[in-house]
Amino acid sequence: MELVGRARELAGAREQLAGGCPLVVTGEPGMGKSAFLGVLARQLAEERGLPVFRVRAADFGLRSDVTLLRLLGACGEAGARALGDLVGQAPATVPDTVVHICRQLFLAYPAVVVVDGVPTDSAANDLLADLVSAFSRTSSVLLMGSTDARPPQGAPVALCHLRPLDRTDSATLVGEAAGHPALTSAGESLDGLVEATRGLPLLARIVGAQVAVAVSSGRPPTPVRLPAPAWMADEARKLLETLSALDTEEFPAELLDTLAQRPGAVHELCRYELLQPAGEGVLRLPPVIRSLVDRNWSDAELRDRSADAERALAAAAEANPAAYGGHPAAVVDLVGRPAVPDVFADSLAHHLARHGRLAEVLVLRQLLWVRTGRVTPDAHLAVAARESGQPERVPALPAGRPADDEGVLEQAVTAHHMGRLRDADAHLSALPSGRGADPWVLLTRAAVLCDRGDLRAVGPLLRRAVEAHQVRGDRRGEAWTVFQYGRLCLLRGEVEDAEKLLHSAREEFHTHGESRGVAWAATELGRLSLQLGTADIEGLYDARLLHEVEGDPRGAVWAHLWWILAMTDAPGFLWEHEFPAVTNRFREVGDRLGEAWALHHHALALGRTSGTADGRSEADPLFDEALRLFEVTDCVHGTAWTLLERALHDPARRFPQHRWAGDIRHWFGLVGDEAGEAWVELAESATGSEPSYELAARYPADLLDAVEWAPNGNLRIPRAARYTQPEPRADAHDPEASRSRVRVTLLDGTPTRIALEIVSGARHPWSTDQRPALTARAVPLTLAEVEPLHAISTEGAEFRFVPRLPGRHRIRFTITDQATGTVLQQVETEIDVWTIGPAPRTAVPEEARRATAAEPVWRA
């Protein structure tokens, strides 16, 4: 529908593009340039196999560097990496540098690029010149849209001018927008409707929308009134007037609700196509609509209305930053305007930096510098670079100012993200003692200790962090602390608590629009599924996509690693290719700890799939490099496990001939990992030994069942064992936890019913595995009847008890394995009967309520 009557212009534009020049599509507002550019870009991209990147030029009065920065930000990870080159540069040098960076990017990664809304004032020549320069000598296609911009002198630019549609095409568009039956029943002259469109496709759609709404609501559509019908609600009309006072075209949809006096106002403007979708969560007010709004305001009143709207948008953005997370351009444009408080720039930069929006932070910095002469703190650029997966860019920031406490904390977080745990700890220790109670300091220290493998002090740190966040009313900080608590429980092997905490954190993240937190919670829940032995492969894949959507490459690569581990044992899975790829990705995002664990698991897979000397020789260099990185990062837990696996896979270092066991036990002991020391003890034992009671007290039975001794005598420890440092379970020293018992319960009813139930201890195999078919046989030892005499069940059985005489009665229950006939347990119970009659009264004395049970035949 958008390109009705544009076949000739479309063919002409394609013909001009064959010459290799950029194309500028011109036409008055409402002429359908955006739709024309969209269709043209899609056709070219499909034919040439290129991606499409689209950006709207910055509003009037802004320089070309802002548009080019936003273009780089729209180009995904490649654009983000290119933006990293600008992190350490002063604002004055950015305009020239960004042109060179764009040229290099689109030379290496060809694409179809659409820059719409090129301004018509003198800034247009600068922008056009910079765009032409940026795309010169590349195989990319540049398409631009403007009202009447003229190319700079001598610039090789092709022009395509869109003219008004003829009456036939206008009538077609009106009919399609209204729905032809609605148009027929409207009763208004088609000539009058066509006349109102003035040959502009945008107005044709609006006229059609008015007719459709009028007919559906039983109103006469005559006369059509542009831009809005006479019957539109006052709240929607006032919102339209407010938006028309602003000099921006695109708005985050959620923020518009804050400017409306009722929620339905935004919906009504969209219903009449006065506000149009311009991407996910973004609405656009076309310039032609703004020009048609009958405001009757003086210049002074227009300035006041514009200032009020700017302040309202800024306040809404500060109150609900998640509302513009996907499209912050309109909010960033408010920075430096006289009506907007100066403090807004810092709070906005802080939010954007935390979400890795490096392009927007750079744009904000340029705007603030041009409009006020100020610049945002370098710390915001550092955080944005780190969160966009480029922590190595942080040291390139200009030095010279004394580091404040907040900067030192951010350095600690950056070091933690890079896996430099020793450096992170040093930065945290350098903070003044008064900052030690800061909840973010406590949370960062806890995260560093978890990655190091020293869990002993983490619990108290997180409890203090939660309390401090609650005192401050910081729900976001509290959610991140709960997330870290879930991680701690996961590392301790407390999977049920970990699952509850991670789900709780994910809900809090979702509630407060912390989309990065949602992705990290999904990743840790996927990791939890690995420990449970029920790998959630799809969940881990989805978590990786969530990270990528959020522009968090570090999170994406961690989710990728866990996904590989979930898939490693699947038949036909090419882990030989996946492990090097994920190792390189960790290296690209600067995460040495992730790189070390990827190498560790790659070496482990090589060693286990090949028992030959060649297989070991391939694994050894990977183990050695992982060991080097673990020692550099100060990850004691990773060092200990790599030393242990290195010894297990190398016959020359086989236990117990050498002193390796003592050295490895020492590394585990440094972080208080008694579980790790127990694995060393098993490795020292004779070939084929069963896991010790110490291990059985810490790990679930199914994990220990996966322990095996390879034919060459090497111990194979399950991968999941190195994810955790479990404490002994509370029932570890309780012998009842290894047994299954029979519970007998007297039920209400006539005749009396008796329920027999099998209750398995926490460490009995039946607590996790399926029970065999059992036969429960009931034999009365007094004058009474019990029916049925036997029942077959895997869970329990129910019997009917009928006494013949009052008094104390005894019944014996025998539990037998149906398949083998083995008697597993016998239970006798006593029941007191007071009277005999239609409804015998029974009672179970206190001393008889506990079944007298024989020792079970089988125990763990």
Side-chain angles (χ1 to χ4, degrees):
M1 185 174 76
E2 296 90 342
L3 292 188
V4 170
R6 296 299 187 200
R8 182 181 302 174
E9 287 96 334
L10 189 60
R14 292 175 60 85
E15 184 178 348
Q16 293 197 65
L17 283 168
C21 293
L23 177 69
V24 179
V25 177
T26 63
E28 65 177 285
M31 197 59 73
K33 296 182 295 297
S34 298
F36 184 89
L37 288 168
V39 172
L40 180 59
R42 185 170 63 250
Q43 291 180 355
L44 295 171
E46 292 174 354
E47 293 170 4
R48 306 186 187 192
L50 299 176
V52 177
F53 299 118
R54 186 164 190 158
V55 68
R56 177 164 291 277
D59 293 326
F60 70 88
L62 306 184
R63 303 169 346 142
S64 60
D65 53 336
V66 172
T67 299
L68 294 177
L69 287 171
R70 285 178 172 161
L71 176 57
L72 289 173
C75 292
E77 188 175 348
R81 300 297 298 182
L83 286 167
D85 294 336
L86 297 167
V87 170
Q89 295 202 7
T93 64
V94 169
D96 292 333
T97 307
V98 71
V99 174
H100 173 73
I101 290 175
C102 281
R103 184 184 301 118
Q104 297 300 315
L105 176 70
F106 292 110
L107 183 64
Y109 302 98
V112 177
V113 175
V114 178
V115 181
D116 204 357
V118 174
T120 60
D121 57 9
S122 59
N125 287 333
D126 294 337
L127 177 57
L128 282 169
D130 287 342
L131 283 170
V132 171
S133 176
F135 282 82
S136 63
R137 297 187 298 278
T138 74
S139 55
S140 296
V141 180
L142 175 61
L143 307 175
M144 293 170 282
S146 177
T147 302
D148 58 359
R150 293 292 180 265
Q153 183 130 12
V157 175
L159 293 175
C160 175
H161 184 67
L162 301 185
R163 293 176 173 80
L165 300 177
D166 61 26
R167 297 181 66 82
T168 301
D169 292 330
S170 295
T172 301
L173 272 181
V174 171
E176 289 182 355
H180 291 288
L183 186 63
T184 302
S185 62
E188 180 167 351
S189 168
L190 183 59
D191 290 340
L193 296 175
V194 171
E195 192 70 28
T197 69
R198 300 185 347 228
L200 301 180
L202 175 62
L203 296 186
R205 292 202 300 272
I206 294 174
V207 168
Q210 288 192 26
V211 171
V213 174
V215 171
S216 65
S217 58
R219 292 188 180 93
T222 309
V224 166
R225 179 178 172 182
L226 294 174
W231 60 79
M232 192 169 72
D234 288 341
E235 293 85 353
R237 194 178 307 279
K238 289 177 181 178
L239 176 60
L240 181 61
E241 291 179 355
T242 299
L243 296 180
S244 71
L246 292 166
D247 57 6
T248 187
E249 293 186 22
E250 295 183 355
F251 308 90
E254 289 188 46
L255 290 185
L256 291 186
D257 286 330
T258 64
L259 297 182
Q261 296 183 6
R262 67 179 181 89
V266 175
H267 172 73
E268 190 162 4
L269 292 181
C270 293
R271 191 181 185 190
Y272 291 110
E273 298 204 30
L274 303 176
L275 284 176
Q276 299 181 344
E280 186 175 356
V282 184
L283 294 174
R284 176 174 176 259
L285 179 68
V288 69
I289 303 300
R290 181 186 292 109
S291 67
L292 290 173
V293 174
D294 185 12
R295 296 174 293 201
N296 294 321
W297 298 336
S298 66
D299 291 343
E301 188 176 4
L302 176 60
R303 286 193 298 270
D304 291 342
R305 295 280 191 115
S306 178
D308 290 343
E310 289 174 357
R311 279 191 292 268
L313 277 177
E318 285 193 290
N320 186 19
Y324 61 84
H327 187 81
V331 177
V332 172
D333 280 346
L334 298 172
V335 170
R337 299 196 180 190
V340 178
D342 291 342
V343 70
F344 174 71
D346 286 336
S347 63
L348 178 59
H350 177 73
H351 171 81
L352 294 172
R354 281 195 294 105
H355 289 80
R357 306 302 294 260
L358 181 56
E360 283 78 11
V361 175
L362 284 166
V363 167
L364 185 150
R365 190 167 184 255
Q366 293 300 110
L367 293 181
L368 196 62
W369 175 64
V370 169
R371 289 172 171 170
T372 69
R374 295 193 301 120
V375 293
T376 56
D378 293 335
H380 294 317
L381 277 176
V383 174
R386 178 187 73 211
E387 297 298 331
S388 65
Q390 303 182 76
E392 72 281 359
R393 303 287 189 178
V394 175
L397 290 174
R401 288 201 309 263
D404 57 8
D405 294 351
E406 198 64 34
V408 174
L409 173 58
E410 293 298 350
Q411 286 179 317
V413 175
T414 299
H416 174 234
H417 282 209
M418 298 181 74
R420 300 189 341 243
L421 305 181
R422 187 180 288 106
D423 292 345
D425 185 64
H427 289 308
L428 292 171
S429 299
L431 287 167
S433 57
R435 287 298 299 270
D438 183 291
W440 290 102
V441 173
L442 296 169
L443 179 58
T444 304
R445 193 181 295 278
V448 169
L449 288 173
C450 281
D451 284 344
R452 188 173 184 265
D454 190 351
L455 308 183
R456 292 168 291 190
V458 175
L461 287 171
L462 292 177
R463 282 193 291 273
R464 291 171 59 197
V466 167
E467 292 169 359
H469 280 305
Q470 289 174 342
V471 169
R472 294 184 175 191
D474 185 352
R475 298 297 298 274
R476 171 182 169 269
E478 188 178 348
W480 276 109
T481 307
V482 171
F483 166 79
Q484 189 62 42
Y485 239 129
R487 242 186 118 231
L488 172 63
C489 291
L490 195 55
L491 292 169
R492 285 177 172 168
E494 300 165 358
V495 290
E496 291 184 3
D497 290 340
E499 186 173 21
K500 292 176 183 177
L501 288 166
L502 290 172
H503 276 296
S504 176
R506 185 170 65 177
E507 290 303 314
E508 277 296 300
F509 287 139
H510 182 74
T511 299
H512 297 285
E514 188 76 357
S515 48
R516 285 201 166 200
V518 173
W520 274 105
T523 297
E524 290 301 306
L525 285 168
R527 179 184 179 189
L528 182 147
S529 72
L530 291 178
Q531 290 185 212
L532 293 174
T534 56
D536 184 3
I537 296 172
E538 290 186 6
L540 284 167
Y541 185 80
D542 290 343
R544 179 183 172 188
L545 293 180
L546 281 175
H547 284 295
E548 290 175 349
V549 168
E550 289 305 313
D552 183 5
R554 176 173 170 266
V557 70
W558 273 107
H560 189 188
L561 175 61
W562 299 125
W563 177 80
I564 292 172
L565 297 181
M567 292 287 293
T568 298
D569 296 327
F573 180 67
L574 299 177
W575 54 263
E576 301 91 334
H577 301 294
E578 292 289 344
F579 275 119
V582 80
T583 302
N584 288 334
R585 289 292 291 134
F586 274 120
R587 193 175 296 120
E588 288 172 3
V589 300
D591 190 340
R592 296 183 183 181
L593 183 61
E595 183 184 352
W597 278 115
L599 288 166
H600 174 98
H601 285 290
H602 188 186
L604 196 63
L606 279 171
R608 292 189 175 184
T609 55
S610 176
T612 65
D614 290 340
R616 287 193 298 271
S617 66
E618 292 179 22
D620 286 349
L622 299 179
F623 275 130
D624 291 342
E625 179 61 13
L627 185 61
R628 183 188 72 81
L629 288 173
F630 279 129
E631 291 176 346
V632 167
T633 61
D634 194 35
C635 178
V636 179
H637 194 232
T639 299
W641 272 104
T642 304
L643 285 171
L644 176 57
E645 291 292 353
R646 183 78 164 80
L648 289 174
H649 287 80
D650 189 344
R653 296 166 178 170
R654 181 79 52 76
F655 296 98
Q657 287 88 346
H658 295 78
R659 293 184 297 104
W660 279 70
D663 293 340
I664 300 170
R665 190 180 288 108
H666 166 73
W667 282 100
F668 280 118
L670 286 176
V671 291
D673 186 357
E674 296 178 356
E677 294 183 70
W679 286 114
V680 178
E681 180 183 348
L682 178 63
E684 285 184 288
S685 63
T687 301
S689 297
E690 293 293 326
S692 64
Y693 180 76
E694 180 71 19
L695 290 172
R698 297 173 185 270
Y699 292 94
D702 55 347
L703 185 143
L704 296 180
D705 289 343
V707 174
E708 60 178 308
W709 294 87
N712 58 8
N714 287 344
L715 172 64
R716 292 183 175 178
I717 303 174
R719 289 189 190 89
R722 71 212 66 224
Y723 305 156
T724 62
Q725 302 172 43
E727 297 291 326
R729 294 190 302 276
D731 61 2
H733 301 290
D734 179 10
E736 296 299 316
S738 300
R739 303 178 179 181
S740 274
R741 293 290 184 179
V742 175
R743 177 184 294 161
V744 178
T745 306
L746 192 65
L747 304 176
D748 295 332
T750 304
T752 301
R753 294 178 298 127
I754 302 172
L756 183 146
E757 181 185 5
I758 309 296
V759 180
S760 301
R763 285 189 285 114
H764 192 284
W766 291 353
S767 66
T768 55
D769 300 340
Q770 185 177 358
R771 295 174 183 172
L774 305 176
T775 300
R777 182 179 180 85
V779 177
L781 303 181
T782 55
L783 289 176
E785 294 180 2
V786 180
E787 297 178 352
L789 292 180
H790 60 84
I792 298 174
S793 173
T794 58
E795 299 295 332
E798 184 176 307
F799 300 88
R800 186 178 64 174
F801 167 65
V802 181
R804 295 302 182 194
L805 295 173
R808 177 163 295 181
H809 290 265
R810 286 194 304 144
I811 305 173
R812 176 183 297 162
F813 297 95
T814 302
I815 313 301
T816 306
D817 186 323
Q818 182 188 0
T820 63
T822 304
V823 175
L824 302 178
Q825 201 164 355
Q826 283 189 332
V827 175
E828 290 187 10
T829 190
E830 296 180 343
I831 302 175
D832 280 350
V833 179
W834 296 342
T835 60
I836 294 293
R841 297 176 62 192
T842 58
V844 181
E846 183 68 28
E847 64 273 12
R849 288 182 183 176
R850 295 182 298 274
T852 303
E855 288 295 317
V857 174
W858 188 95
R859 72 175 66 188

